[in-house]
Amino acid sequence: MARRPHDHYVVLARGDAARAAETLGQATGADRVVGVSCDLGSLADVNRAAGMVTAGVDAGRLPPLGGFLGNAGVVFLTTDTRTADGYEATFAINVLAHQLLIRLLMPRFVAPAWVVLTTSDSHFGQFRYTLGATPPPRWAAPAELATPRHGGPQAAGRAYATSKLGTIYLTHALARRLPPGVGAHSYNPALVAGTDFFRAAPQPLRAVMQGFFRLQLALGRGMTAERAGRRLAETILAGMPGPSGGYVDRGRAVPSSPESYDEGREEELWREGARLCG
């Protein structure tokens, strides 16, 4: 994406964002890439990062926002991992932090613009999507999902699938609220190998999961990180297919799970998510 001439990009990263932006600029020849550090595990840091972006737009150092790609996601081995705010980390990072960040940036979007949030086909909760590696989602009140609780790998996998269902609910709620000409889509990259996604796991389990991912890659059920990233970028640059609020599976607009269409849950998430984010 950064190789496109005349575009300006902001890289939000938990670590050394300035270095990440510099590396991206050197690799692509882009000279308008800005880094802003942002730890999605801290709502205060999300507020700070969003404030830096909006201040840059208001001062003319950055152009009005034309797009937002939320590509961050985590999975843990337990459901008692806490963020800086005391929330269950999977739901807080994958859903609440993105909701807060986009809400704070919304007034700076200028049409035509887009918001894309990466989700997962694990939200279907069916064997043909997960091969039994992830339990099906189990939705509950947002305050309950944000509460740390005792649970091992099985519960943690369910929390991940549930958070990805929440990402689709958030996308639908956003589509009803974004300014005209600004669309929202959820995007499923499917199984992606080679991302160190299970870095929180002990080495033996991490090796098993990485082996499982490589096997699926060999069987044609997944993609390398490079290929998946290219597919995502090409889809965005070509114009997201389907109407705002839609679900895009590796570049194709398709229906998400029947459970993912629930306006009552979507509005509850929007309302209660705002309260949880302060």
Side-chain angles (χ1 to χ4, degrees):
M1 295 176 72
R3 288 191 177 95
R4 288 183 55 175
H6 312 304
D7 278 2
H8 205 140
Y9 292 93
V10 177
V11 177
L12 296 170
R14 181 179 180 183
D16 188 347
R19 179 58 184 162
E22 180 184 356
T23 300
L24 180 62
Q26 291 173 348
T28 62
D31 59 358
R32 293 191 285 185
V33 183
V34 179
V36 175
S37 64
C38 181
D39 181 0
L40 295 182
S42 165
L43 296 177
D45 207 57
V46 172
N47 272 284
R48 179 199 55 77
M52 292 185 67
V53 175
T54 56
V57 173
D58 294 344
R61 297 189 301 273
L62 295 173
L65 301 183
F68 176 92
L69 170 57
N71 195 40
V74 293
V75 64
F76 296 95
L77 289 180
T78 69
T79 50
D80 57 4
T81 305
R82 298 169 182 261
T83 64
D85 306 282
Y87 294 142
E88 193 281 315
T90 310
F91 185 74
I93 293 171
N94 293 0
V95 182
L96 294 181
H98 285 85
Q99 177 177 346
L100 175 61
L101 186 55
I102 297 169
R103 285 189 69 139
L104 295 172
L105 298 178
M106 271 174 61
R108 304 314 193 278
F109 281 99
V110 173
W114 46 268
V115 173
V116 175
L117 296 175
T118 53
T119 185
S120 167
D121 51 14
S122 66
H123 85 275
F124 281 92
Q126 298 176 9
F127 182 86
R128 67 190 182 103
Y129 294 106
T130 66
L131 301 180
T134 306
R138 183 179 295 161
W139 191 255
E144 181 179 343
L145 295 174
T147 301
R149 52 204 178 273
H150 178 72
Q154 187 80 355
R158 190 183 302 279
Y160 174 78
T162 302
S163 75
K164 291 307 180 178
L165 177 62
T167 300
I168 299 177
Y169 288 152
L170 176 58
T171 300
H172 293 165
L174 277 168
R176 292 192 285 271
R177 289 170 169 84
L178 287 167
V182 183
H185 294 80
S186 54
Y187 181 93
N188 170 45
L191 187 147
V192 181
T195 65
D196 200 22
F197 188 53
F198 297 98
R199 60 188 175 275
Q203 178 56 38
L205 179 57
R206 188 160 66 245
V208 170
M209 295 308 299
Q210 289 172 344
F212 172 78
F213 271 48
R214 286 194 293 268
L215 174 62
Q216 299 310 309
L217 187 65
L219 295 175
R221 294 182 57 90
M223 284 188 263
T224 63
E226 181 181 8
R227 183 181 172 200
R230 186 183 302 115
R231 175 80 59 87
L232 172 55
E234 289 172 348
T235 301
I236 291 173
L237 294 176
M240 294 298 291
S244 180
Y247 174 76
V248 179
D249 181 358
R250 290 163 286 184
R252 298 181 301 112
V254 299
S256 50
S257 72
E259 186 182 6
S260 69
Y261 299 94
D262 190 321
E263 188 168 336
R265 290 181 177 181
E266 295 158 10
E267 291 302 305
E268 180 188 36
L269 174 60
W270 187 262
R271 182 180 63 254
E272 290 301 298
R275 183 182 65 79
L276 292 167
C277 290

